């Protein structure tokens, strides 16, 4: 066999072997890519994303699109060829598997956590929007969860309204932990609560819940904290949260989406529907960002993938959380203008500038 032919044959066999190895060898990485975007002012699967009843609403126009990231599943084993292709592609990102699924978290556990975060983000989006519009919202501190086999199990229940701890009124969920940890493990702490059923019945009737009662619990020592092993912290085994009562119904319906990052865009959609005029001025605006009850916008993951998804959907402007601005500005798709936002109020003021054509005055993102 001529030397040249033998060399070509050997090279071909080596290439085939490498390709086979690349397909067969699995690596601990996952892929992130642009997911679908959804107009919060429009419909999804034939029904409005935002449905408001019991309050006058107004026509809207344009787009206020929330953005998403698509990720490979926890059980998906990526091979070397897929990893290399993802690293070379501009519209995907390859990250260590543990970044998306830390501590061996299963896909089901991750999905459940994302669903809970999505639900909480909807509540905060409603509160922030109504607060921005100066519409009162009633808030109460409640028992969010009860830890199994804890002092509180069977005594306190999810949904119980916590009015006071040791006679001291509580106004924020964190007040509960502060008051409990004033005790040493083994000491009694007194909760003044309204049972969940009584609170739910009062809310349904449009009345303030009544019928509080005192419950005494004996605190226990918290599990050891590796960062502070000498600390003897008292706990009762509950997590406190906030329950809101809205003056009218706001229903957010969007399937197959999880996580907290749509909060900002939900809030803006609610504001647009509850106020006359067109918040977007007819423009296509996309964005992302968590939001808390006070309207503060927080950072999210996968910002660059969301920018690509927004650009591909036709967005002209992208509302970008302040803490994501540097990363977003380092790789902004052509034709997309980044708008820096720290609060919901920042976002509404920027939309006002866009409506007025004052785009030079928009707060922008930079790489430094």
């Amino acid at each position: 066999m001529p030397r040249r032919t033998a060399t070509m044959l050997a090279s071909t066999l080596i290439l085939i072997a490498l390709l086979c190895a690349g397909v067969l060898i699995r690596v601990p990485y996952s892929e992130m890519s642009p997911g679908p975007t959804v107009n919060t002012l429009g419909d999804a699967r034939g029904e409005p994303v935002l449905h408001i009843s019991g309050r006058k609403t107004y026509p809207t126009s344009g787009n206020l699109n929330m953005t998403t990231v698509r990720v490979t599943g926890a059980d998906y084993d990526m091979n070397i060829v897929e990893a290399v292709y993802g690293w070379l592609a501009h519209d995907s990102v390859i990250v260590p598997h543990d970044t998306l699924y830390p501590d061996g978290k299963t896909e089901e556990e991750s999905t459940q956590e994302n669903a809970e975060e999505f639900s909480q983000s909807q509540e905060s989006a409603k509160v922030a929007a109504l607060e921005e519009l100066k519409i009162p919202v009633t808030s109460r501190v409640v028992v969010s969860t009860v830890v199994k086999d804890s002092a509180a199990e069977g005594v306190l229940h999810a949904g119980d309204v916590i009015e006071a701890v040791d006679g001291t009124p509580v106004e924020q969920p964190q007040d509960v932990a502060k008051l409990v940890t004033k005790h040493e493990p083994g000491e009694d702490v007194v909760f003044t609560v309204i049972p969940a059923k009584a609170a739910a019945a009062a809310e349904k009737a449009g009345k303030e819940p009544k019928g509080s009662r005192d419950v005494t619990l004996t605190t226990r020592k918290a599990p050891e904290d590796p960062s502070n092993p000498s600390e003897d912290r008292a706990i009762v085994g509950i997590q406190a949260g906030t329950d809101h009562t809205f003056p009218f119904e706001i229903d957010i319906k969007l399937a197959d989406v999880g996580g907290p990052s749509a909060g900002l865009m939900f809030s803006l959609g609610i504001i647009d529907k509850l106020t006359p005029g067109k918040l977007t001025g007819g423009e296509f605006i996309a964005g992302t960002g968590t939001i808390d009850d006070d309207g503060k916008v927080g950072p999210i993951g996968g910002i660059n993938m969301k920018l690509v998804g927004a650009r591909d959907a036709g967005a002209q402007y992208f509302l970008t959380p302040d803490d994501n601005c540097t990363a977003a500005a380092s790789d902004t798709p052509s034709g997309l203008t980044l708008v820096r936002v720290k609060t919901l109020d920042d976002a509404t003021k920027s939309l006002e500038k866009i409506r007025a054509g004052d785009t030079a005055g928009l707060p922008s993102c930079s790489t430094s």
Side-chain angles (χ1 to χ4, degrees):
M1 181 183 298
R3 177 176 297 177
R4 182 177 179 182
T5 301
T7 300
M8 291 181 63
L9 178 60
S11 299
T12 301
L13 292 174
I14 291 172
L15 179 60
I16 292 172
L18 289 174
L19 288 173
C20 290
V23 171
L24 294 174
I25 297 175
R26 304 295 169 174
V27 291
Y29 290 94
S30 296
E31 182 182 45
M32 301 172 63
S33 59
T37 74
V38 179
N39 185 10
T40 61
L41 302 177
D43 294 348
R45 297 187 176 181
E47 58 182 352
V49 175
L50 299 174
H51 177 75
I52 299 173
S53 59
R55 181 90 174 193
K56 183 177 181 180
T57 58
Y58 299 87
T60 61
S61 69
N63 289 64
L64 284 171
N65 279 43
M66 56 157 288
T67 50
T68 64
V69 174
R70 183 178 286 111
V71 299
T72 50
D75 298 328
Y76 182 76
D77 291 326
M78 179 174 288
N79 61 48
I80 292 179
V81 173
E82 291 170 320
V84 171
Y85 180 82
W87 275 316
L88 296 176
H90 182 69
D91 59 352
S92 66
V93 174
I94 302 300
V95 298
H97 185 274
D98 289 346
T99 301
L100 299 177
Y101 305 100
D103 303 322
K105 187 181 297 181
T106 66
E107 188 167 350
E108 290 75 17
E109 290 171 336
S110 180
T111 299
Q112 177 62 29
E113 182 178 308
N114 285 335
E116 292 172 357
E117 290 178 339
F118 185 63
S119 177
Q120 180 56 53
S121 76
Q122 294 180 43
E123 289 299 293
S124 293
K126 297 174 189 177
V127 175
L130 297 194
E131 292 288 348
E132 181 75 12
L133 296 174
K134 311 300 182 188
I135 299 173
V137 176
T138 301
S139 300
R140 296 188 295 267
V141 177
V142 299
V143 176
S144 179
T145 57
V146 178
V147 178
K148 184 176 177 57
D149 297 327
S150 67
E153 185 180 23
V155 182
L156 296 179
H157 304 86
D160 287 350
V161 177
I162 305 173
E163 293 192 318
V165 176
D166 291 328
T168 301
V170 297
E171 297 181 356
Q172 301 291 336
Q174 55 267 32
D175 294 343
V176 177
K178 289 178 181 178
L179 291 167
V180 170
T181 53
K182 285 184 177 181
H183 291 271
E184 295 293 329
E187 294 182 347
D188 288 344
V189 58
V190 179
F191 280 74
T192 303
V193 300
I194 299 175
K197 289 184 178 179
E203 181 177 341
K204 186 176 182 180
K207 300 178 180 179
E208 281 295 314
K210 296 181 180 180
S212 60
R213 60 188 178 92
D214 288 342
V215 174
T216 301
L217 298 171
T218 302
T219 62
R220 299 178 183 177
K221 181 181 176 181
E224 187 172 294
D225 182 356
S227 64
N228 193 359
S230 63
E231 181 185 29
D232 288 340
R233 183 166 54 90
I235 61 171
V236 295
I238 67 164
Q239 181 175 346
T242 305
D243 179 66
H244 305 287
T245 301
F246 301 101
F248 48 89
E249 184 179 349
I250 305 174
D251 193 14
I252 301 176
K253 291 186 177 181
L254 193 58
D256 302 325
V257 176
S261 65
L264 170 63
M265 303 312 291
F266 283 145
S267 286
L268 291 172
I270 292 168
I271 290 172
D272 199 0
K273 284 179 174 285
L274 290 175
T275 53
K278 310 295 192 296
L279 194 63
T280 67
E283 301 288 351
F284 195 136
I285 295 156
T288 189
T290 66
I291 201 160
D292 64 16
D293 292 358
D294 296 322
K296 182 180 178 182
V297 176
I300 52 80
I303 184 67
N304 297 104
M305 296 298 95
K306 293 186 175 184
L307 295 178
V308 173
R311 188 274 316 275
D312 290 348
Q316 301 156 288
Y317 302 92
F318 194 93
L319 302 179
T320 311
D322 178 62
D323 290 340
N324 290 121
C325 257
T326 300
S330 68
D331 190 19
T332 308
S334 176
L336 193 63
T337 299
L338 303 184
V339 181
R340 180 192 296 266
V341 293
K342 295 181 180 180
T343 65
L344 178 58
D345 189 56
D346 287 346
T348 58
K349 288 177 178 176
S350 290
L351 292 181
E352 183 179 348
K353 291 180 181 294
I354 291 173
R355 291 197 306 274
D358 181 21
T359 54
L362 291 172
S364 60
C365 292
S366 64
T367 55
S368 60

